[in-house]
Amino acid sequence: YFLLNGKRHFLVGTGDDFGYPTEAPPQNLSVYRARLGAMKAYGFDFVRLHSHFESKMYFDVAAELGFFISPALPGTAWSADCKEIALRTWKWWINELRNCPSVMDVNMKNEGYGEPPKLAPGELGGWPGAPFVYRDEFYAVAKQMRPELHVIATDGCCWSSGQRNKAAVQET
């Protein structure tokens, strides 16, 4: 548990695995109110966004309904070019969500942890548990922008390659 407004609070959570019939999150408050409203009706107050992030409207509705959200912000990067795009997006989202009371933490990726992959030139990293090469840099950027923000390197499995989720351990 943790203290919320001086009272013990236990999270009752669920995962949101991007169950939309579209390729992008809907830009419609009624969709989010219905989706999160159904979760609330089942007694949930915490949502882990699995391997995706939602539009700002999702977070606004979550705040209205009293949810805590753990978004998976874009952070997986395998090359310098990919890293620059992911880092730019990471910074934008951290700034965009700075005043959202529903954001409980942010995470860089879903599942997996470990050392950089040994790839041939031009080869892409694979699943499962593809390691996050630039995790320390992304963590430092987030903490520089918002020291109070809880930042974790991975939100699913933190025991890949025998290593612990170091960023998450730093938060406790």
Side-chain angles (χ1 to χ4, degrees), residues 66-143:
F67 276 90
F68 294 98
I69 306 296
S70 178
L73 301 182
T76 302
W78 289 101
S79 68
D81 292 337
C82 184
K83 174 197 157 201
E84 292 309 314
I85 293 167
L87 186 58
R88 183 172 59 239
T89 307
W90 173 255
K91 289 177 182 179
W92 186 89
W93 270 109
I94 288 172
N95 185 58
E96 181 71 11
L97 299 174
R98 72 189 175 283
N99 292 320
C100 291
S102 60
V103 175
M104 184 169 177
D105 64 30
V106 296
N107 66 78
M108 297 176 207
K109 72 183 292 285
N110 173 64
E111 302 173 359
Y113 203 73
E115 295 307 312
K118 305 212 178 353
L119 304 174
E123 183 182 8
L124 297 176
W127 184 259
F132 177 58
V133 179
Y134 302 105
R135 65 181 175 256
D136 295 338
E137 183 178 351
F138 277 60
Y139 179 85
V141 165
K143 293 308 252 181

Side-chain angles (χ1 to χ4, degrees), residues 2-169:
F2 62 96
L3 294 179
L4 178 64
N5 298 326
K7 297 180 182 176
R8 286 183 180 189
H9 185 81
F10 294 86
L11 293 174
V12 179
T14 187
D16 188 340
D17 295 356
F18 197 83
Y20 304 111
T22 60
E23 292 180 11
Q27 301 299 306
N28 187 322
L29 285 171
S30 64
V31 170
Y32 294 127
R33 283 195 177 104
R35 185 179 193 86
L36 290 166
M39 292 177 193
K40 190 73 165 181
Y42 280 102
F44 296 113
D45 64 358
F46 171 78
V47 179
R48 170 188 176 235
L49 298 179
H50 180 277
S51 298
H52 77 286
F53 54 99
E54 292 281 353
S55 77
K56 177 77 167 45
M57 284 186 270
Y58 185 99
F59 294 94
D60 293 341
V61 171
E64 288 173 18
L65 297 177
F67 276 90
F68 294 98
I69 306 296
S70 178
L73 301 182
T76 302
W78 289 101
S79 68
D81 292 337
C82 184
K83 174 197 157 201
E84 292 309 314
I85 293 167
L87 186 58
R88 183 172 59 239
T89 307
W90 173 255
K91 289 177 182 179
W92 186 89
W93 270 109
I94 288 172
N95 185 58
E96 181 71 11
L97 299 174
R98 72 189 175 283
N99 292 320
C100 291
S102 60
V103 175
M104 184 169 177
D105 64 30
V106 296
N107 66 78
M108 297 176 207
K109 72 183 292 285
N110 173 64
E111 302 173 359
Y113 203 73
E115 295 307 312
K118 305 212 178 353
L119 304 174
E123 183 182 8
L124 297 176
W127 184 259
F132 177 58
V133 179
Y134 302 105
R135 65 181 175 256
D136 295 338
E137 183 178 351
F138 277 60
Y139 179 85
V141 165
K143 293 308 252 181
Q144 180 181 14
M145 291 176 69
R146 293 192 45 208
E148 82 292 351
L149 184 64
H150 293 287
V151 182
I152 58 176
T154 180
D155 69 350
C157 171
C158 61
W159 290 102
S160 177
S161 302
Q163 296 191 15
R164 292 192 62 179
N165 186 337
K166 297 174 189 173
V169 171

